[in-house]
């Protein structure tokens, strides 16, 4: 069995990271990050050709964009879940015709009949 080069190792890790991001396999990103750290340390001890560096830069930039999109999607999903947990918002019209949320103040005790 041939041992892979540092470039091949980091390339494989970056491709695994990309596949995990595209498939939504967020749980595997921790393990991939550990592999990425080890591969990056090995890579630091070698000299890469300019074409190899450009290829890694391109993949890394794409993965960074994917990670940002995944983080934004998670943030949006959390906001939706939080909003839905509070229930639908009831709006009312004031005397001047503007809409405003109709809600009870949490600082007041309300006695119901």
């Amino acid at each position: 069995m041939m041992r892979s080069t540092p470039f091949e190792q980091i390339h494989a890790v970056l491709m695994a990271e990309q596949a995990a991001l595209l498939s939504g396999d967020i749980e595997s990103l921790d393990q991939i990050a550990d592999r990425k750290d080890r591969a990056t340390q090995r890579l630091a001890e070698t000299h890469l050709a300019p074409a190899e560096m450009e290829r890694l830069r391109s993949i890394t930039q794409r993965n960074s964009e994917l990670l940002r999109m995944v983080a934004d999607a998670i943030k949006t999903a959390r906001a939706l879940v939080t909003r839905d947990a509070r229930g639908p918002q009831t709006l009312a019209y004031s005397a001047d015709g503007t809409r405003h949320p109709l809600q009870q103040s949490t600082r007041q005790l309300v006695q119901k009949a």
Side-chain angles (χ1 to χ4, degrees):
M1 183 169 145
M2 266 184 79
R3 186 176 172 146
S4 59
T5 66
F7 171 79
E8 292 168 337
Q9 290 171 353
I10 191 71
H11 186 269
V13 171
L14 290 173
M15 297 311 291
E17 180 182 53
Q18 189 174 78
L21 290 167
L22 289 171
S23 69
D25 185 11
I26 306 303
E27 291 81 23
S28 69
L29 291 178
D30 281 340
Q31 181 186 19
I32 291 171
D34 292 338
R35 289 177 49 207
K36 194 176 186 181
D37 285 340
R38 290 190 303 272
T40 302
Q41 289 172 0
R42 285 190 290 272
L43 188 65
E45 300 168 359
T46 64
H47 177 74
L48 294 179
E52 291 174 325
M53 287 293 289
E54 178 57 29
R55 178 73 178 134
L56 294 179
R57 187 200 63 73
S58 174
I59 296 169
T60 302
Q61 182 178 355
R62 171 75 172 147
N63 287 1
S64 177
E65 291 169 5
L66 287 171
L67 186 58
R68 182 186 48 78
M69 286 188 276
V70 168
D72 288 347
I74 291 170
K75 182 178 176 183
T76 300
R78 283 184 178 155
L80 289 172
V81 167
T82 301
R83 184 193 74 194
D84 289 346
R86 289 189 308 243
Q89 186 179 39
T90 304
L91 299 174
Y93 288 91
S94 62
D96 65 359
T98 58
R99 289 184 350 167
H100 59 89
L102 185 62
Q103 57 189 353
Q104 294 178 347
S105 173
T106 58
R107 295 182 185 172
Q108 296 177 356
L109 292 175
V110 177
Q111 181 179 5
K112 296 185 178 183

